[in-house]
Amino acid sequence: MLAHNVESRVIKASVESVWATLKTQDFGFWTLVKSTESAFSSAEVGSTRTVTFTDGAVQVYRLVEFSELNNSLTYEVIESEPAMKVLSATHRIRAFPVSADNTTFVQWTSEFASEGASETVQDSKYKKLEALADLAKALEN
């Protein structure tokens, strides 16, 4: 069974600024992230990064898609401590320019494979909403 969650927000900053922040995949704008480590270029498909959260959780992400043209990236969680309650988790972040006012529409989609993933979907929803609020706070003037 596949479950998914989509959250979005308009950021009062240009798509260039938003994408420059997102494409590094260091999640430095997100207050729940303590640190991110990677030995590879942020744009190298197949590269991994270890994300340590402020609550002590550690996840390893593998980049599966990266597009400068479409301002999007997709990553999957390949390790998690503590273990996730789903079989797999894939996340896509995209940034779209809003031409009317030079803002950016950011969409963060997650897909989870598992039976009974509702708790994980709800947790993902609130964490993404917080991350998008943190992104807005970091970039808006």
Side-chain angles (χ1 to χ4, degrees), residues 3 13 16 41 58 67 92 104-105 110:
E16 293 83 10
S41 159
V58 178
S67 175
R92 170 178 280 155
T104 304
F105 177 79
S110 300

Side-chain angles (χ1 to χ4, degrees), residues 9-14 17-18 21 29 101-106 132-141:
R9 184 175 181 125
V10 173
I11 307 292
K12 294 177 186 171
S14 70
S17 296
V18 172
T21 300
F29 60 89
D101 57 5
N102 197 34
T103 60
T104 304
F105 177 79
V106 178
L132 291 170
D134 288 346
L135 178 64
K137 190 183 299 183
L139 293 173
E140 293 177 356
N141 298 326

Side-chain angles (χ1 to χ4, degrees), residues 38-98:
S38 177
F40 299 97
S41 159
S42 61
E44 188 174 337
V45 172
S47 66
T48 60
R49 56 208 19 84
T50 302
V51 180
T52 303
F53 293 88
T54 55
D55 67 359
V58 178
Q59 293 186 332
V60 179
Y61 300 157
R62 185 174 72 88
L63 185 65
V64 295
E65 179 183 58
F66 185 91
S67 175
E68 287 276 6
L69 182 63
N70 295 311
N71 301 324
S72 69
L73 59 94
T74 305
Y75 63 94
E76 62 184 357
V77 179
I78 59 172
E79 293 178 33
S80 182
E81 184 58 46
M84 297 186 331
K85 297 178 180 180
V86 294
L87 299 173
S88 68
T90 303
H91 306 274
R92 170 178 280 155
I93 305 173
R94 299 188 291 178
F96 301 92
V98 179

